[in-house]
Amino acid sequence: MRYRNVISVLKNPFYAGAYVYGKSGKQMAIVDGRARKSYKHPKPFDEWDVLLREHHEGYIDWAEFERNQKQLAANAYGKAGDVKSGRGGRALLAGLFACARCGRRLFVAYTGRIPQPVYRCARFDMPPQCMSFGGSRIDAAIGKELLPVVEPMAIEAARQAEQMHMDTLTEQRRIVKLELQQAQYEATLAERRYAACDPDNRLKQGGSRILPVGLP
């Protein structure tokens, strides 16, 4: 499932049991001296043409839907304020820097024959960029300060991982032992049933003697 598919579901009021009409509108702009219309511009909740809450049974209630929209808006990159989640890539501080001028999160670009991270703030309404700087030196400096802090936690995490591994092996051995005991019990029970049969009926019970597990 793609990211845009998940987001489209989370932003759809139908998911919260609501019927909505008129979520987007048109805007007018003067381009080269002419008026031009553009469509599908999202409207705020209070400007939707129709909003019928509890129209049908939803997966979540409306209050949770509103909380989700606020969280999604806060997570959006390129907007000032709020805490953003870390992002992928080689840069250590991707998604964690904010521009001191406009407050937007810096994005990371990789340049050079051997790609190196560059932190940039690009505001579309304020050309050129607010700021831009190489990330290699600052990543190295932060990493140097970070390692002594996380080293004790890393040792403890490794110890816990080893303990979990040993616990898993112990549980696996216990399960194998129980399965062996069950097999031995079933073999012994079959032997007893065979021995309890009338000799004239033993051919009907299998025709051959059943030996317990472990016997030649």
Side-chain angles (χ1 to χ4, degrees), residues 80-157:
D82 299 307
V83 177
K84 313 296 182 183
S85 60
R87 311 197 77 174
R90 296 175 56 191
L92 178 63
L93 305 172
L96 302 180
F97 275 139
C99 177
R101 182 181 180 187
C102 67
R104 295 172 183 259
R105 293 286 157 174
L106 305 186
F107 72 90
V108 181
Y110 294 90
T111 61
R113 296 182 60 184
I114 301 177
Q116 298 295 326
V118 176
Y119 295 98
R120 292 176 177 173
C121 175
R123 286 193 60 177
F124 297 104
D125 57 344
M126 188 182 293
Q129 301 166 346
C130 289
M131 60 186 303
S132 176
F133 57 90
S136 299
R137 294 178 63 183
I138 191 169
D139 280 4
I142 295 297
K144 184 178 179 180
E145 297 297 325
L146 187 62
L147 285 177
V149 177
V150 301
E151 186 175 7
M153 292 184 289
I155 295 174
E156 177 62 19

Side-chain angles (χ1 to χ4, degrees), residues 10-178:
L10 294 178
K11 290 186 175 182
N12 193 334
F14 189 87
Y15 182 65
Y19 172 79
V20 173
Y21 176 78
K23 294 190 299 179
S24 61
K26 62 183 179 181
Q27 292 183 359
M28 184 77 70
I30 304 300
V31 180
D32 297 331
R34 294 185 176 183
R36 292 189 179 181
K37 296 180 181 179
S38 56
Y39 299 87
K40 295 185 178 181
H41 295 279
K43 297 179 182 178
F45 288 169
D46 54 359
E47 295 182 11
W48 289 350
D49 296 341
V50 177
L51 171 57
L52 301 178
R53 302 176 187 177
E54 300 181 359
H55 176 266
H56 55 273
E57 184 177 358
Y59 291 95
I60 59 176
D61 58 31
W62 185 255
E64 185 174 355
F65 176 77
E66 290 184 316
R67 289 195 299 270
N68 290 345
Q69 303 316 300
K70 292 179 181 178
Q71 187 62 55
L72 290 172
N75 289 342
Y77 279 79
K79 293 185 178 180
D82 299 307
V83 177
K84 313 296 182 183
S85 60
R87 311 197 77 174
R90 296 175 56 191
L92 178 63
L93 305 172
L96 302 180
F97 275 139
C99 177
R101 182 181 180 187
C102 67
R104 295 172 183 259
R105 293 286 157 174
L106 305 186
F107 72 90
V108 181
Y110 294 90
T111 61
R113 296 182 60 184
I114 301 177
Q116 298 295 326
V118 176
Y119 295 98
R120 292 176 177 173
C121 175
R123 286 193 60 177
F124 297 104
D125 57 344
M126 188 182 293
Q129 301 166 346
C130 289
M131 60 186 303
S132 176
F133 57 90
S136 299
R137 294 178 63 183
I138 191 169
D139 280 4
I142 295 297
K144 184 178 179 180
E145 297 297 325
L146 187 62
L147 285 177
V149 177
V150 301
E151 186 175 7
M153 292 184 289
I155 295 174
E156 177 62 19
R159 189 194 67 78
Q160 292 182 4
E162 177 64 18
Q163 184 62 45
M164 291 175 61
H165 177 65
M166 297 303 298
D167 292 344
T168 300
L169 292 179
T170 301
E171 180 64 14
Q172 290 175 346
R173 294 191 188 99
R174 188 183 71 84
I175 292 174
V176 171
K177 184 177 180 180
L178 290 175

